[in-house]
Amino acid sequence: MRNDLFNLDTQDGLSDPDPVRRAQITSKLPLPKRFYKLAAVAEQDGLFAVELDGRAVKTPARQNLVLPTRDAAQLIADEFAAQEKEIDPAKMPATRLANTAIDGIVNDPQAVLEDVLRFASSDMLCYRAGSPERLVARQTELWDPIIDWAASELGARFILAEGVMHAEQPREALAAFGVHLGQFKDAFAIAALHTITTLTGSAILAIAVAKGEISGDNAWNLAHVDEDWTIEQWGEDAEAAARRAIREREMNAAVKMLEAVAAS
């Protein structure tokens, strides 16, 4: 049973990047029973391991689940502690993020940063509605300050486009953005940065959160300007709201992880 727990992420579909898809899959699988009483953090040579009843937690690749700060490890210990009769990996986003960092990103962080940079080349904030006028005004009011911040603080001057047709971003803008991405060395921070990027559709929002320019909650709201506009006009769909809640939980975990490793 313990081996099943530590290898949940390797089962078919559980590594799907879409948190909603992962939740759908796990809801159909038999979940392992909680077998431990205490989830805790133990310091080991300046790093921090997660332990269940004194036994080290392993990643799916059988590596020790060890993090650079106590706060980061505590996020995972808290997720284990919150499990009740069964252990549901769909409700453990920080744990999955840490597994990804240890088993994958540590070995090739540059590939992940390059994927974030690809998002920047077609960033959501750069694509604006042509109508209605009030939506256009809302996008301008809320998104332009972040675009202006990227230009002034990052040296990345992105161009805006109307509609969904791809607009080629200046090489200079992407190069400047890439320089700032390259400053992230910690695998857990990179994993969190990538998660925030994919959930919001915006690498600009992700790096703004990582650099403390905006909060995670603010970034989440900015990422849903168009969706919230549609809800205002037509009402909210219950299934869509449930999917959004799952993604928001993933977002919150990524932001907390980013904050937790910031001091490392």
Side-chain angles (χ1 to χ4, degrees), residues 88-111:
D88 186 354
K91 297 178 180 178
M92 304 176 73
T95 303
R96 292 198 311 274
L97 189 151
N99 287 340
T100 298
I102 295 169
D103 289 347
I105 295 177
V106 165
N107 298 322
D108 193 4
Q110 188 58 35

Side-chain angles (χ1 to χ4, degrees), residues 167-224:
E168 193 77 22
Q169 291 295 340
R171 293 177 60 183
E172 295 81 4
L174 295 177
F177 196 84
V179 168
H180 288 273
L181 283 180
Q183 295 174 356
F184 293 89
K185 307 296 184 183
D186 180 88
F188 300 94
I190 293 172
L193 186 69
H194 186 267
T195 296
I196 295 169
T197 299
T198 57
L199 289 172
T200 62
S202 172
I204 301 174
L205 286 177
I207 202 168
V209 172
K211 287 182 171 288
E213 175 64 17
I214 59 175
S215 68
D217 288 342
N218 193 4
W220 185 251
N221 292 332
L222 290 173
H224 291 82

Side-chain angles (χ1 to χ4, degrees), residues 10 17 45 48-49 56 72 74 86 88 99 110 121 141 151 153-154 185 197 211 220 236 259:
T10 65
D45 300 323
F48 299 88
Q74 191 64 53
E86 297 175 323
D88 186 354
N99 287 340
Q110 188 58 35
S121 69
E141 176 188 359
E153 297 299 323
L154 307 182
K185 307 296 184 183
T197 299
K211 287 182 171 288
W220 185 251
E236 187 172 40
E259 295 170 347

Side-chain angles (χ1 to χ4, degrees), residues 4-264:
D4 290 341
L5 165 64
F6 299 141
N7 287 283
L8 279 171
D9 285 352
T10 65
Q11 296 183 27
D12 290 343
L14 292 187
S15 60
D16 194 294
D18 183 355
V20 176
R21 173 65 176 156
R22 286 199 303 268
Q24 291 171 338
I25 294 167
T26 55
S27 69
K28 300 176 182 178
L29 294 173
L31 297 176
K33 302 296 183 182
R34 174 168 172 162
F35 57 84
Y36 53 90
K37 293 183 178 180
L38 179 65
V41 174
E43 186 171 1
Q44 297 180 356
D45 300 323
L47 298 175
F48 299 88
V50 180
E51 295 183 345
L52 304 178
D53 292 341
R55 179 177 182 266
V57 177
K58 301 285 186 179
T59 70
R62 308 303 296 164
Q63 300 188 74
N64 286 337
L65 191 54
V66 178
L67 294 97
T69 70
R70 181 176 292 278
D71 286 348
Q74 191 64 53
L75 289 175
I76 297 170
D78 288 345
E79 288 187 343
F80 275 104
Q83 304 305 298
E84 298 179 350
K85 293 182 179 180
E86 297 175 323
I87 302 170
D88 186 354
K91 297 178 180 178
M92 304 176 73
T95 303
R96 292 198 311 274
L97 189 151
N99 287 340
T100 298
I102 295 169
D103 289 347
I105 295 177
V106 165
N107 298 322
D108 193 4
Q110 188 58 35
V112 181
L113 292 173
E114 288 174 0
D115 194 45
V116 174
L117 187 59
R118 280 191 287 272
F119 270 86
S121 69
S122 56
D123 201 280
M124 177 197 68
L125 297 188
C126 297
Y127 291 86
R128 306 298 177 87
S131 63
E133 185 176 335
R134 286 194 299 156
L135 176 57
V136 173
R138 185 177 298 183
Q139 289 177 340
T140 299
E141 176 188 359
L142 297 176
W143 290 354
D144 277 8
I146 304 299
I147 294 293
D148 293 342
W149 170 81
S152 61
E153 297 299 323
L154 307 182
R157 300 183 181 280
F158 292 94
I159 61 174
L160 307 183
E162 183 178 308
V164 297
M165 293 296 292
H166 179 69
E168 193 77 22
Q169 291 295 340
R171 293 177 60 183
E172 295 81 4
L174 295 177
F177 196 84
V179 168
H180 288 273
L181 283 180
Q183 295 174 356
F184 293 89
K185 307 296 184 183
D186 180 88
F188 300 94
I190 293 172
L193 186 69
H194 186 267
T195 296
I196 295 169
T197 299
T198 57
L199 289 172
T200 62
S202 172
I204 301 174
L205 286 177
I207 202 168
V209 172
K211 287 182 171 288
E213 175 64 17
I214 59 175
S215 68
D217 288 342
N218 193 4
W220 185 251
N221 292 332
L222 290 173
H224 291 82
V225 167
D226 291 2
E227 183 177 316
D228 288 342
W229 171 267
T230 300
I231 291 171
E232 290 173 16
Q233 309 310 308
W234 305 103
E236 187 172 40
D237 176 79
E239 290 186 6
R243 291 193 296 269
R244 178 164 167 173
I246 292 172
R247 292 189 173 94
E248 186 172 12
R249 186 169 61 206
E250 301 270 333
M251 174 78 171
N252 290 337
V255 172
K256 288 179 181 178
M257 181 64 74
L258 196 58
E259 295 170 347
V261 300
S264 64

